[in-house]
PDB file of all heavy atoms in Angstrom:
ATOM      1  N   GLN B  90       2.181  28.478 -15.750  1.00 98.00           N
ATOM      2  CA  GLN B  90       2.541  27.306 -16.671  1.00 98.00           C
ATOM      3  C   GLN B  90       4.057  27.264 -16.993  1.00 98.00           C
ATOM      4  O   GLN B  90       4.667  26.236 -16.794  1.00 98.00           O
ATOM      5  CB  GLN B  90       1.849  27.578 -18.024  1.00 98.00           C
ATOM      6  CG  GLN B  90       1.802  26.463 -19.008  1.00 98.00           C
ATOM      7  CD  GLN B  90       1.221  27.014 -20.411  1.00 98.00           C
ATOM      8  OE1 GLN B  90       0.278  27.798 -20.415  1.00 98.00           O
ATOM      9  NE2 GLN B  90       1.842  26.513 -21.476  1.00 98.00           N
ATOM     10  N   ILE B  91       4.638  28.512 -17.195  1.00 97.00           N
ATOM     11  CA  ILE B  91       6.093  28.532 -17.429  1.00 97.00           C
ATOM     12  C   ILE B  91       6.839  28.125 -16.193  1.00 97.00           C
ATOM     13  O   ILE B  91       7.842  27.341 -16.233  1.00 97.00           O
ATOM     14  CB  ILE B  91       6.479  29.900 -17.850  1.00 97.00           C
ATOM     15  CG1 ILE B  91       5.966  30.250 -19.274  1.00 97.00           C
ATOM     16  CG2 ILE B  91       7.985  30.143 -17.859  1.00 97.00           C
ATOM     17  CD1 ILE B  91       6.187  31.689 -19.788  1.00 97.00           C
ATOM     18  N   ALA B  92       6.451  28.623 -15.039  1.00 97.00           N
ATOM     19  CA  ALA B  92       7.130  28.404 -13.812  1.00 97.00           C
ATOM     20  C   ALA B  92       6.916  26.980 -13.214  1.00 97.00           C
ATOM     21  O   ALA B  92       7.685  26.496 -12.454  1.00 97.00           O
ATOM     22  CB  ALA B  92       6.841  29.455 -12.749  1.00 97.00           C
ATOM     23  N   GLY B  93       5.824  26.376 -13.684  1.00 98.00           N
ATOM     24  CA  GLY B  93       5.506  25.031 -13.176  1.00 98.00           C
ATOM     25  C   GLY B  93       5.064  25.061 -11.780  1.00 98.00           C
ATOM     26  O   GLY B  93       5.157  23.989 -11.083  1.00 98.00           O
ATOM     27  N   MET B  94       4.561  26.145 -11.314  1.00 97.00           N
ATOM     28  CA  MET B  94       4.019  26.222  -9.930  1.00 97.00           C
ATOM     29  C   MET B  94       3.017  27.331  -9.797  1.00 97.00           C
ATOM     30  O   MET B  94       2.943  28.172 -10.757  1.00 97.00           O
ATOM     31  CB  MET B  94       5.185  26.409  -8.878  1.00 97.00           C
ATOM     32  CG  MET B  94       6.010  27.607  -9.168  1.00 97.00           C
ATOM     33  SD  MET B  94       7.371  27.798  -7.952  1.00 97.00           S
ATOM     34  CE  MET B  94       8.734  26.961  -8.877  1.00 97.00           C
ATOM     35  N   ASP B  95       2.243  27.369  -8.736  1.00 97.00           N
ATOM     36  CA  ASP B  95       1.232  28.428  -8.611  1.00 97.00           C
ATOM     37  C   ASP B  95       1.908  29.762  -8.107  1.00 97.00           C
ATOM     38  O   ASP B  95       3.088  29.782  -7.754  1.00 97.00           O
ATOM     39  CB  ASP B  95       0.035  27.978  -7.797  1.00 97.00           C
ATOM     40  CG  ASP B  95       0.301  27.813  -6.309  1.00 97.00           C
ATOM     41  OD1 ASP B  95       1.291  28.354  -5.842  1.00 97.00           O
ATOM     42  OD2 ASP B  95      -0.504  27.149  -5.704  1.00 97.00           O
ATOM     43  N   ILE B  96       1.073  30.828  -8.184  1.00 98.00           N
ATOM     44  CA  ILE B  96       1.686  32.074  -7.901  1.00 98.00           C
ATOM     45  C   ILE B  96       2.203  32.213  -6.539  1.00 98.00           C
ATOM     46  O   ILE B  96       3.314  32.809  -6.283  1.00 98.00           O
ATOM     47  CB  ILE B  96       0.610  33.204  -8.187  1.00 98.00           C
ATOM     48  CG1 ILE B  96       0.292  33.269  -9.724  1.00 98.00           C
ATOM     49  CG2 ILE B  96       1.058  34.604  -7.676  1.00 98.00           C
ATOM     50  CD1 ILE B  96      -0.786  34.231 -10.153  1.00 98.00           C
ATOM     51  N   THR B  97       1.521  31.665  -5.572  1.00 97.00           N
ATOM     52  CA  THR B  97       1.985  31.666  -4.154  1.00 97.00           C
ATOM     53  C   THR B  97       3.416  31.020  -4.067  1.00 97.00           C
ATOM     54  O   THR B  97       4.305  31.603  -3.431  1.00 97.00           O
ATOM     55  CB  THR B  97       1.038  30.924  -3.250  1.00 97.00           C
ATOM     56  OG1 THR B  97      -0.245  31.595  -3.370  1.00 97.00           O
ATOM     57  CG2 THR B  97       1.503  31.003  -1.828  1.00 97.00           C
ATOM     58  N   GLU B  98       3.550  29.915  -4.766  1.00 97.00           N
ATOM     59  CA  GLU B  98       4.857  29.220  -4.720  1.00 97.00           C
ATOM     60  C   GLU B  98       5.885  29.986  -5.413  1.00 97.00           C
ATOM     61  O   GLU B  98       7.093  30.079  -5.015  1.00 97.00           O
ATOM     62  CB  GLU B  98       4.690  27.795  -5.440  1.00 97.00           C
ATOM     63  CG  GLU B  98       4.066  26.750  -4.650  1.00 97.00           C
ATOM     64  CD  GLU B  98       4.886  26.469  -3.320  1.00 97.00           C
ATOM     65  OE1 GLU B  98       6.101  26.297  -3.482  1.00 97.00           O
ATOM     66  OE2 GLU B  98       4.257  26.405  -2.302  1.00 97.00           O
ATOM     67  N   ILE B  99       5.564  30.654  -6.567  1.00 98.00           N
ATOM     68  CA  ILE B  99       6.523  31.506  -7.282  1.00 98.00           C
ATOM     69  C   ILE B  99       7.055  32.603  -6.386  1.00 98.00           C
ATOM     70  O   ILE B  99       8.227  32.837  -6.203  1.00 98.00           O
ATOM     71  CB  ILE B  99       5.896  32.116  -8.533  1.00 98.00           C
ATOM     72  CG1 ILE B  99       5.474  31.043  -9.533  1.00 98.00           C
ATOM     73  CG2 ILE B  99       6.949  33.057  -9.257  1.00 98.00           C
ATOM     74  CD1 ILE B  99       4.718  31.513 -10.748  1.00 98.00           C
ATOM     75  N   PHE B 100       6.089  33.249  -5.704  1.00 98.00           N
ATOM     76  CA  PHE B 100       6.587  34.321  -4.746  1.00 98.00           C
ATOM     77  C   PHE B 100       7.474  33.794  -3.639  1.00 98.00           C
ATOM     78  O   PHE B 100       8.482  34.371  -3.282  1.00 98.00           O
ATOM     79  CB  PHE B 100       5.343  35.041  -4.138  1.00 98.00           C
ATOM     80  CG  PHE B 100       4.811  36.220  -4.954  1.00 98.00           C
ATOM     81  CD1 PHE B 100       4.238  36.059  -6.227  1.00 98.00           C
ATOM     82  CD2 PHE B 100       4.881  37.535  -4.457  1.00 98.00           C
ATOM     83  CE1 PHE B 100       3.769  37.095  -6.954  1.00 98.00           C
ATOM     84  CE2 PHE B 100       4.387  38.540  -5.166  1.00 98.00           C
ATOM     85  CZ  PHE B 100       3.843  38.420  -6.388  1.00 98.00           C
ATOM     86  N   LYS B 101       7.038  32.586  -3.145  1.00 97.00           N
ATOM     87  CA  LYS B 101       7.770  32.027  -1.986  1.00 97.00           C
ATOM     88  C   LYS B 101       9.129  31.555  -2.429  1.00 97.00           C
ATOM     89  O   LYS B 101      10.148  31.780  -1.724  1.00 97.00           O
ATOM     90  CB  LYS B 101       6.975  30.804  -1.465  1.00 97.00           C
ATOM     91  CG  LYS B 101       6.981  30.771   0.099  1.00 97.00           C
ATOM     92  CD  LYS B 101       6.230  29.498   0.621  1.00 97.00           C
ATOM     93  CE  LYS B 101       4.705  29.667   0.549  1.00 97.00           C
ATOM     94  NZ  LYS B 101       4.008  28.361   0.785  1.00 97.00           N
ATOM     95  N   THR B 102       9.223  30.897  -3.589  1.00 98.00           N
ATOM     96  CA  THR B 102      10.476  30.308  -3.985  1.00 98.00           C
ATOM     97  C   THR B 102      11.429  31.335  -4.692  1.00 98.00           C
ATOM     98  O   THR B 102      12.590  31.317  -4.379  1.00 98.00           O
ATOM     99  CB  THR B 102      10.230  29.166  -5.098  1.00 98.00           C
ATOM    100  OG1 THR B 102       9.126  28.383  -4.540  1.00 98.00           O
ATOM    101  CG2 THR B 102      11.374  28.320  -5.221  1.00 98.00           C
ATOM    102  N   HIS B 103      10.856  32.146  -5.471  1.00 97.00           N
ATOM    103  CA  HIS B 103      11.714  33.010  -6.358  1.00 97.00           C
ATOM    104  C   HIS B 103      11.582  34.522  -6.023  1.00 97.00           C
ATOM    105  O   HIS B 103      12.363  35.318  -6.486  1.00 97.00           O
ATOM    106  CB  HIS B 103      11.449  32.801  -7.828  1.00 97.00           C
ATOM    107  CG  HIS B 103      11.577  31.449  -8.315  1.00 97.00           C
ATOM    108  ND1 HIS B 103      12.859  30.857  -8.440  1.00 97.00           N
ATOM    109  CD2 HIS B 103      10.728  30.496  -8.685  1.00 97.00           C
ATOM    110  CE1 HIS B 103      12.684  29.603  -8.936  1.00 97.00           C
ATOM    111  NE2 HIS B 103      11.425  29.379  -9.066  1.00 97.00           N
ATOM    112  N   GLY B 104      10.513  34.927  -5.308  1.00 98.00           N
ATOM    113  CA  GLY B 104      10.368  36.281  -4.916  1.00 98.00           C
ATOM    114  C   GLY B 104       9.484  37.009  -6.014  1.00 98.00           C
ATOM    115  O   GLY B 104       9.306  36.637  -7.158  1.00 98.00           O
ATOM    116  N   GLU B 105       9.012  38.210  -5.542  1.00 98.00           N
ATOM    117  CA  GLU B 105       8.187  39.028  -6.379  1.00 98.00           C
ATOM    118  C   GLU B 105       8.845  39.503  -7.626  1.00 98.00           C
ATOM    119  O   GLU B 105       8.269  39.594  -8.746  1.00 98.00           O
ATOM    120  CB  GLU B 105       7.572  40.216  -5.653  1.00 98.00           C
ATOM    121  CG  GLU B 105       6.563  41.008  -6.506  1.00 98.00           C
ATOM    122  CD  GLU B 105       5.973  42.231  -5.777  1.00 98.00           C
ATOM    123  OE1 GLU B 105       6.159  42.468  -4.569  1.00 98.00           O
ATOM    124  OE2 GLU B 105       5.356  43.041  -6.574  1.00 98.00           O
TER     125      GLU B 105
END
Side-chain angles (χ1 to χ4, degrees):
Q90 191 189 322
I91 290 174
M94 57 181 93
D95 71 20
I96 292 177
T97 302
E98 282 298 314
I99 298 174
F100 271 66
K101 221 185 281 171
T102 315
H103 301 290
E105 182 181 351

